[in-house]
Amino acid sequence: MTFYVQHGYGKGQKIPAVHGDGNLGGVVLSPGDEDPANLGDTARYCRQADLEVLVDPQTYLYSTQPAGRGRNHQAHELAFDGLSWAQDAQSVAAHIDRIGRLNDAVNSDGLWIAPGPLQDSFADLWTPLSVQFARTASQSWGQNRTIATLAVDEAGLSDWLAIERWLDVATALPVRGFYVLVSRPSTAYPNTPWAPAKLANLLRLIHALSELNDFDVTWGYSDFEGLLGLAAGATAMATGWSYTLRQFSSSKWMSPASGGRAPAVRTNLARLWSLPRAETETAPLFASSLRDAIFTADEIARYSTTPFDSLGRVDAQIDHMNALAARASWLSSQTDPSSRVGTVAGSLESAVALWDSIASAGMLPDPSYRNRVVALRDGLRLFTDQVAL
């Protein structure tokens, strides 16, 4: 189990900064956000730093209505305009060949992610094409290096029977593992709370693929919830520096970015499983009588010498990724799934209790913070009840 950086636009020195803490396992590269020369340089740095490299072909963005577009896909020969659920075998093979050429150029010794459409559910019109992409990629690249893409809308997680039927097919695929993406309906950040039943079904899916069938599973564009995926058995979680790299939403590619206000500087508070705004939400908590309960010793040491109004956005982004990476590394030291789940469940329970104390003190900045943590806790509870952990 490990932590990957979900790469995207504006990387700067963020990957080396996260790597410097020693808890980074790899990087999921975005060909939509860098031209061939820059993507090659990034891949070369990662390989030289002994980081696992995965290239996400991002084919799913061409299956939406309206179809999305990757800014640099044409340069990488990855543009797949006119993608159809009834794609013929020749077109599928041609797309696999293009992705193979890109990987051969930048990631020749690594694992290769097969393309996949965005599915509304586990039994919609796109599902057979997703399976066909995975099988064709495996035939072309070899089973031991092929990672299938599962990109599905969050609504599809409501039907466990459909997921079970999909698992019957998916677990027979000759692939090394799965790259899992869940499209969430809101682009606001922090995102809306998970529906516990849907989160539980996703964790069951990850557990079935990894623990029961020995597939590698990487949960891309995940945030705090990625830690629950690791507890359930995922091989890796991936998240990035910007909000759009911490949550997967098909709308990201449907229209060009329109700018707007710069994102708020937020602080990762490990005990709260949350990212409050530094100046307006974290600072009052730090000045309160609950400081020693809410903040870890490391957080107290840092914020005692660094005023909240002086925190830089880039530093805060790196802090968040480093904090998640450290927790992912710690979880990976526990080989027993029951122990991992128990550890995460206890931490979430403590976080809810802390948010209740904050509310009782009249300092709750926004009820949605507590609601998100409660949703994670309840989803994990449902999962453990369902799989008898």
Side-chain angles (χ1 to χ4, degrees):
M1 295 167 197
T2 189
F3 177 86
Y4 286 6
V5 165
Q6 191 88 44
H7 160 265
Y9 179 75
K11 70 177 185 297
Q13 293 299 306
K14 298 181 184 75
I15 296 174
V18 177
H19 185 40
D21 261 24
N23 295 312
L24 181 60
V27 176
V28 182
L29 296 180
S30 166
D33 289 300
E34 288 193 323
D35 62 32
N38 286 324
L39 192 74
D41 289 343
T42 302
R44 191 174 304 108
Y45 161 78
C46 294
R47 291 199 311 273
Q48 291 172 349
D50 293 324
L51 297 175
E52 185 78 50
V53 173
L54 295 172
V55 180
D56 179 357
Q58 301 170 325
T59 303
Y60 41 75
L61 65 91
Y62 295 98
S63 63
T64 60
Q65 292 295 328
R69 177 164 293 278
R71 184 164 49 93
N72 287 293
H73 278 193
Q74 195 69 44
H76 292 290
E77 298 185 1
L78 294 184
F80 208 17
D81 298 308
L83 182 68
S84 166
W85 60 267
Q87 209 73 34
D88 61 77
Q90 185 176 3
S91 297
V92 169
H95 198 51
I96 296 296
D97 287 344
R98 281 181 249 162
I99 295 169
R101 288 196 296 271
L102 171 60
N103 273 283
D104 201 41
V106 305
N107 190 34
S108 58
D109 297 327
L111 303 178
W112 296 2
I113 298 178
L118 176 60
Q119 304 169 206
D120 288 333
S121 71
F122 287 82
D124 74 348
L125 291 172
W126 291 103
T127 305
L129 179 62
S130 179
V131 172
Q132 186 182 5
F133 271 134
R135 285 198 176 118
T136 305
S138 178
Q139 292 167 0
S140 179
W141 305 339
Q143 176 175 345
N144 290 334
R145 77 177 336 168
T146 302
I147 304 295
T149 291
L150 169 62
V152 65
D153 190 88
E154 181 183 355
L157 295 170
S158 62
D159 187 350
W160 178 250
L161 290 179
I163 296 173
E164 275 194 315
R165 288 191 290 269
W166 177 87
L167 281 167
D168 288 341
V169 175
T171 53
L173 287 172
V175 296
R176 170 77 170 263
F178 291 83
Y179 176 52
V180 177
L181 307 172
V182 179
S183 183
R184 307 211 61 204
S186 172
T187 57
Y189 189 88
N191 212 323
T192 54
W194 279 86
K198 293 176 183 177
L199 177 59
N201 282 344
L202 176 58
L203 297 177
R204 289 177 73 184
L205 166 69
I206 291 171
H207 182 77
L209 290 173
S210 58
E211 295 291 338
L212 303 184
N213 289 281
D214 296 321
F215 289 105
D216 291 348
V217 178
T218 298
W219 185 356
Y221 294 89
S222 60
D223 200 13
F224 285 104
E225 62 268 32
L227 297 171
L228 277 66
L230 294 181
T235 313
M237 61 171 287
T239 197
W241 46 88
S242 68
Y243 298 165
T244 58
L245 297 174
R246 298 178 194 169
Q247 56 190 13
F248 181 69
S249 177
S250 59
S251 63
K252 172 184 176 180
W253 291 279
M254 289 183 186
S255 59
S258 57
R261 293 183 300 173
V265 176
R266 296 179 177 273
T267 52
N268 181 307
L269 299 186
R271 289 177 179 171
L272 292 181
W273 282 72
S274 300
L275 276 170
R277 294 172 180 264
E279 289 188 63
T280 59
E281 296 174 339
T282 304
L285 295 176
F286 193 75
S288 76
S289 61
L290 294 173
R291 186 191 74 171
D292 291 345
I294 294 171
F295 294 82
T296 67
D298 287 343
E299 290 167 353
I300 290 174
R302 174 168 188 192
Y303 299 135
S304 294
T305 59
T306 306
F308 288 99
D309 59 4
S310 70
L311 289 174
R313 186 172 296 105
V314 172
D315 287 340
Q317 292 169 338
I318 292 169
D319 285 347
H320 178 52
M321 289 188 287
N322 276 330
L324 291 180
R327 297 178 84 164
S329 178
W330 187 79
L331 273 176
S332 71
S333 68
Q334 303 187 49
T335 57
D336 178 55
S338 296
S339 297
R340 293 194 304 269
V341 169
T343 296
V344 173
S347 182
L348 288 169
E349 198 67 62
S350 296
V352 173
L354 282 173
W355 279 118
D356 288 341
S357 297
I358 292 168
S360 296
M363 300 181 63
L364 189 64
D366 181 343
S368 64
Y369 288 113
R370 180 187 183 277
N371 294 343
R372 292 183 190 95
V373 180
V374 169
L376 295 180
R377 180 199 65 183
D378 292 350
L380 189 63
R381 279 181 177 175
L382 284 173
F383 162 71
T384 54
D385 290 344
Q386 291 161 347
V387 300
L389 280 179

